[in-house]
Every structure is written in C-alpha cells, then in structure tokens.
Amino acid sequence: MTRIYLGVGTNTRREHHLHRGLDALQQLLGPLQLSPVFESDAVGILGARFYNLVVAADTPLPLADLNSALKAIEAACGRREQKVPGRITLDIDILLYGELSGCHGGVQLPRPEINHNAFVLWPLTLLAPELVLPGTDTSCAALWQGWRGQQKVWPVAFDWHGQPLTPALLLRQYPAQSSPAPGSGAA
C-alpha cells in the first residue's frame, strides 16, 4: 500500500461536485482522511471561486493506474465535457505518491503547486503537518510557516455524509476572504 495525497477542487456546482468526487474517491480508495474545505479565487484561469481540500488515502494502485482512475472520476463528473472556459466541475491532482520525487509518467511529484498555492498548502498542512515532502527535508508545517504568497484563502463549512469537514473553530478564526499569516497557529 502506498500513502497518497490528492488535491481536489471545483468551481462549478461546488457542493454537488465535491460530494460526487469524494464518493467516487471513497469507492476507489476505501477510507479517506479529509482536510477542511477552503474557498479561494481562481488561480491561473478566469473563473468563479473554487472549493478545495486535500484527501489522504492508501492505495495498492500503481501511479499510472491511479492517475487514469482519477481522470475517469473527473470525466464522470463532466470535466472533459466542459464548454465554458474557466468552469471546472472537478479537478483531482496527485500531490504526493509515497516517497516518489521527480517526473513519473508525466506526473511531477511532489506536485509543484504545494509550494505555491495556499489553497493546497494550508489544507495539506492541517491534514499532515509533520509530513516531510519527498526529495526535501521540509515538513508541510515548515513550508506553511515560510509561505509568503498573496492569495486569499478562507475555510468554509462543508459536510460530507453528515460529517463536518471544517471545524467550527477554524471557521470562527478565519472568516470569509481572509488568510492567516503563516506561522499564526493555523497549521
């Protein structure tokens, strides 16, 4: 079994597509560990605000098979049928696959967005603060402590099968459209 971390996001019918995506991931991978859900402006595209979270799981699937299965889940949620630019029904990215580092079958690991996007790094840090990224000696908590970007990211209330993913305390600490200063205890 290999420990994996996935970034999951949507900016179209966000609640619906997150529910569908998480259900499909649970069916594919079994038990999931889930970060809180965050909202942010779109980065790199013109589009509506995104909901994002990070999923951790264990899988027996080789990387190529996992990547293909994730693309099939995206397609089942209408990702390949999108006609409107900037509208993403479901995006699932492999952030980490065990201890792999480098480019493997077109998948760059660890995914570079971890270091650059608060909507990836903050939820990953909350889920696995002590995780050291492969090929480095840096933990997620240390990366978040040193993050100096300008993105605005804030937690949002989200329930999956009756389970709240975002703790009430986090929602109170960081109201909509605010981001913590790195090192402020948010990790």
Side-chain angles (χ1 to χ4, degrees), residues 36 38 122 126 144 153-157 166-181 183-187:
F38 289 85
W122 192 6
L126 290 173
W144 181 245
V153 178
W154 54 95
V156 293
T166 309
L169 177 60
L170 190 64
L171 293 167
R172 285 193 302 275
Q173 278 184 303
Y174 304 102
Q177 298 190 24
S178 69
S179 291
S184 67

Side-chain angles (χ1 to χ4, degrees), residues 46-129:
L46 293 175
R49 289 181 171 160
F50 274 79
Y51 275 5
N52 289 284
L53 78 154
V54 171
V55 174
D58 296 309
T59 184
L61 294 172
L63 178 60
D65 293 346
L66 174 66
N67 195 41
S68 294
L70 298 177
K71 297 306 172 205
I73 291 171
E74 290 178 343
C77 287
R79 174 71 190 265
R80 305 295 176 245
E81 300 166 11
Q82 286 301 114
K83 304 289 188 233
V84 180
R87 307 285 291 173
I88 309 241
T89 56
L90 190 66
D91 183 40
I92 307 172
D93 296 320
I94 302 170
L95 303 175
L96 299 164
Y97 182 90
E99 294 297 317
L100 284 183
S101 181
C103 191
H104 301 270
V107 178
Q108 184 66 41
L109 297 167
R111 190 162 180 94
E113 285 84 356
I114 294 172
N115 296 314
H116 305 294
N117 292 320
F119 61 83
V120 176
L121 184 54
W122 192 6
L124 180 60
T125 299
L126 290 173
L127 191 59

